[in-house]
Amino acid sequence: MSIDISPASAPKKLSPKERMAIERQCMPEQGATARAANFKEVNLGFPEQLAFLEAERCIQCKDPKCVQGCPVRVNIPRFIGFLAAGDLAGAAQSLLGDNALPAVTGRVCPQETQCEEQCIRGIKGKPVAIGYLERFVADWAREHRNGAKPAAVPASGKKVAVIGAGPAGLTAAGELAKRGHDVTVYEALHQAGGVLVYGIPEFRLPKKIVDMEVQRLRDAGVKIECNVIVGRTYTLPELREQFDAIFIANGAGLPVFMNVPGENFKGVYSANEYLTRVNLMSAYEFPSADTPVLVGKRVVVVGGGNVAMDAVRTAKRLGAEDAVIVYRRTKAEMPARVEEVHHAEQEGVRFELLVAPLEVIGNDKKWVTGLKCQRMQLGEPDKSGRRRPVAIPGSEFVLECDVVVVAIGTRANPLLTATCPELKLNKRGNIEADENGMTSLPGVFAGGDIVRGAATVILAMGDGKKSAQAIDDYLRKPAASA
Amino acid sequence: MHRIVAKIQLSPNVTRLDVEAPRVAQIRQPGQFVIVRRTDRAERIPLTVADADPKAGTIALVIQAVGKSTKELVALNVGDVIRDVAGPLGMPTELISKGRALCVGGGVGTAVVHPIAQGLHARGASVTSVIGGRSKEWVIFEPELQRYGNVVVCTDDGSYGRKGFVTDASRELLEAGGIDIVYAVGPVPMMRAIANLTRPFGVHTIVSLNPVMVDGTGMCGGCRVDVGGETKFACVDGPEFDGHKVDFDLLADRLSTYRPQEQAAAERCGDNCRVGLNK
Ligand SMILES: Cc1cc2nc3c(=O)[nH]c(=O)nc-3n(C[C@H](O)[C@H](O)[C@H](O)COP(=O)(O)OP(=O)(O)OC[C@H]3O[C@@H](n4cnc5c(N)ncnc54)[C@H](O)[C@@H]3O)c2cc1C
Ligand SMILES: Cc1cc2nc3c(=O)[nH]c(=O)nc-3n(C[C@H](O)[C@H](O)[C@H](O)COP(=O)(O)OP(=O)(O)OC[C@H]3O[C@@H](n4cnc5c(N)ncnc54)[C@H](O)[C@@H]3O)c2cc1C
Ligand code: SF4
Ligand code: SF4
Ligand code: FES
């Protein structure tokens, strides 16, 4: 079927049948061999024509289920409707009103378990490529709406401190600035972005995009002070004296190790360290960047989430001949985004499934030489409903390798909370907060991974947005300054 | 941006830079350090806050030029800027306020011991320092440490003070008795030797560990050390630990992780790095 999609002419009205006949468009991407040897973005983005065509697939449901699947309730049919009508500016305005960082979420949301999972077109066939369209509109907006100054808002006279410049903190900062508050973001590292700059690799989310979003916030009057570690440079009680309200969004950055023998041998990294060296510190450009990273010939990454996929694909790009995922369940239970697992497979990553690590093996110089593992089988379902892996006796074997990356999770970093014992935490060290992000301390709000445990970018942003509203309400209450 | 307001060459390869960092200058405590990044592509390197002037808003960094980053730092001059100074990081030193402390410093470690002696003195403890260097020109911070108590200087070749290692002088002081606590900072073999020396005396001994760090906030785990069989992150749990419990072998070993890369980097930075050094 041929459809006139030249953007100059107004799009033709399609019959429902024609609309239903359009197939889901594929994301153009760098070829697997080429990209496995560079750090450039894998997905190249829809060209305009594919975007318009894909937008036509949306049947503009009266009761759009997709929106229910989106944690921040982006009005999906609305922005896609503008797009289908060729009105890119309209689409951008609609999308940006709902989602502060669409260029980021369009790239990293697990769409297949969120918006796209609910899309009606997915019942018989493939769902509308909402994430790809979101990315397309966001990228267009970035290139075409530069300099669009946000409308000036009257200053509220209130000061708010945001701790942590990850997606939760940045979203909250933007929303608070929009409401006229004087916002200062404190970030421990030398660069704003949180996991978006130190964890998620360049080949999935170019740093340039995050930097531009951060610049947009600065232009909107948000002050961002890097190299400030709250808990050390300032304590929480000190900030409470200086600010009318506080939003804590310091993430869940404490790496969890396996607790097996040999874990301190040279060549064992936490995923946080491995990815920070490569992303934040640009170690993939060593020696033109100063920070080194060990380039393994055979790299084993333990874990099955996005973090593990990012680490293993990074290893491949650094030049590993063999890059292996060790995961103790099956592919079906992997928490990673489907696209990431798929891309990793295409790039030649090996998967050792139903395998659990027992011990890191090293030589007499204490360099890693292997990972001793055992095979597992799935037994009875556990509390999470997933079938529990059970060790198969006598199945031990050694995976030879020279670098091991541990990507089995992160926890709350106690650096900040330790300076404020009155702040209520749960058993796992996460801050307790109600649905608006209010903590046990008046005027102190929290959101993102520090409250949820390691979650997702969009949930962190959702928290930032909600808490900004709650902080605004709190500050406008007459008694607030008392 | 942090401007360098003073620069002093302390020994053939140790330079003191006084750097603007008002907040750190105001609140730093003994034992704490900062993470410094000279320019945009530079490495994040940890350096102890050796002294501070809260009024002037400056901190003293005492830097031993060992590789690319440190050589480039000491090549900077008054008026130049350092891009990032983050901190203060680490736990403050566990200080006593009465009794007698022995502060042992080897090489650039002497500058790390300085704020500890300063803190002890301010709290009312009595301080004896034992500091050492290869020869006279390598001894640093002697006048500063003298403000807080008696200083015994040792040189390997006997060109200044007494001939011998800091361990020899420390042994005599321990044998004479009356020492309640020992703080030792220097090269790993020196700290190990001091810890072994004090063990039979049963004197609590604190050492300052210098593993490779990245963030300095507990996020990466690269700085992990073994203390009493437990893995600790030196940047947040330390950098000071009970010297009798530290696995010095592991520390020394992990410090060698990037040796080939460090050599390559040092060669590459060539002449640029040598500026500052040939004085
Ligand atoms: C490698 C990796 C890949 C991921 N991939 C995906 C993905 O594909 N899709 C997805 O949805 N999610 C993904 N996630 C999860 C997602 O990135 C996080 O859920 C999200 O970033 C949490 O946002 P946050 O703002 O709560 O915290 P963070 O992004 O962690 O930001 C917290 C910020 O606070 C700073 N900070 C910490 N302590 C202090 C302090 N004491 N003082 C000042 N600042 C402090 C930190 O330096 C950091 O910049 C991934 C995570 C990782 C690690
Ligand atoms: C808490 C702490 C306080 C310190 N205080 C001082 C100080 O006051 N004065 C001083 O001169 N030095 C200090 N150091 C050591 C200093 O950080 C290293 O000498 C410096 O990072 C070396 O960098 P480079 O590029 O010049 O050398 P490189 O050629 O990279 O390395 C030389 C040696 O330094 C060590 N090293 C390398 N990179 C790092 C890193 N990122 N972090 C820590 N060590 C590293 C390694 O053992 C290496 O063998 C301290 C270290 C720590 C952990
Ligand atoms: S923000 Fe994420 S979940 Fe929501 S519509 Fe966009 S891609 Fe889907
Ligand atoms: S459910 Fe699918 S088809 Fe319906 S409005 Fe949402 S994206 Fe369009
Ligand atoms: S330096 Fe990263 S955890 Fe200590």
Side-chain angles (χ1 to χ4, degrees), chain A residues 130-336:
Chain A
I130 301 168
Y132 294 161
L133 292 179
E134 187 163 303
R135 169 193 162 138
F136 172 81
V137 171
D139 287 354
W140 181 91
R142 229 184 30 251
E143 274 155 38
H144 294 85
R145 283 175 32 127
N146 270 350
K149 277 237 163 63
V153 267
S156 70
K158 301 282 185 189
K159 287 172 66 184
V160 184
V162 172
I163 302 169
L170 293 176
T171 305
E175 294 288 326
L176 287 161
K178 261 194 223 164
R179 291 166 172 80
H181 304 303
D182 178 3
V183 185
T184 307
V185 182
Y186 293 114
E187 167 55 49
L189 295 171
H190 57 258
Q191 194 178 344
V195 170
L196 308 183
V197 294
Y198 80 70
I200 302 181
E202 184 76 14
F203 58 81
R204 275 216 290 139
L205 178 65
K207 263 175 262 169
K208 185 182 78 190
I209 289 173
V210 183
D211 290 346
M212 287 177 80
E213 295 300 341
V214 169
Q215 191 52 48
R216 212 161 47 90
L217 283 181
R218 287 204 159 106
D219 294 343
V222 172
K223 284 167 273 189
I224 303 180
E225 283 191 34
C226 289
N227 298 316
V228 173
I229 303 95
V230 179
R232 292 272 195 260
T233 319
Y234 299 98
T235 63
L236 196 56
E238 276 176 297
L239 292 185
R240 289 187 75 199
E241 279 169 28
Q242 292 167 33
F243 291 89
D244 299 298
I246 294 176
F247 181 61
I248 306 177
N250 61 332
L254 190 77
V256 174
F257 283 91
M258 300 179 285
N259 241 328
V260 302
E263 210 161 12
N264 291 334
F265 284 143
K266 290 172 287 186
V268 183
Y269 283 116
S270 75
N272 272 2
E273 180 179 3
Y274 190 65
L275 291 170
T276 299
R277 283 180 177 272
V278 177
N279 299 322
L280 182 71
M281 306 310 295
S282 307
Y284 66 96
E285 291 170 334
F286 182 86
S288 101
D290 286 353
T291 304
V293 68
L294 296 173
V295 175
K297 269 209 177 68
R298 312 188 67 176
V299 179
V300 170
V301 177
V302 182
N306 286 320
V307 186
M309 293 309 136
D310 284 344
V312 79
R313 296 174 69 201
T314 294
K316 201 83 203 169
R317 282 161 175 75
L318 288 173
E321 287 159 20
D322 195 18
V324 188
I325 284 281
V326 163
Y327 182 58
R328 61 196 188 119
R329 303 182 201 244
T330 71
K331 211 171 274 177
E333 284 91 16
M334 277 195 176

Side-chain angles (χ1 to χ4, degrees), chain A residues 68-138:
Chain A
Q68 300 303 312
C70 170
V72 298
R73 307 278 181 265
V74 167
N75 190 334
I76 296 163
R78 192 157 80 117
F79 93 79
I80 295 184
F82 280 115
L83 188 57
D87 181 357
L88 281 159
Q93 197 176 1
S94 168
L95 179 59
L96 281 160
D98 294 336
N99 177 344
L101 305 170
V104 174
T105 51
R107 285 173 169 83
V108 307
C109 264
Q111 287 94 5
E112 69 274 2
T113 60
Q114 297 182 355
C115 51
E116 293 181 20
E117 182 180 47
Q118 306 290 325
C119 171
I120 207 85
R121 290 219 47 182
I123 295 174
K124 270 195 265 153
K126 291 189 175 153
V128 174
I130 301 168
Y132 294 161
L133 292 179
E134 187 163 303
R135 169 193 162 138
F136 172 81
V137 171

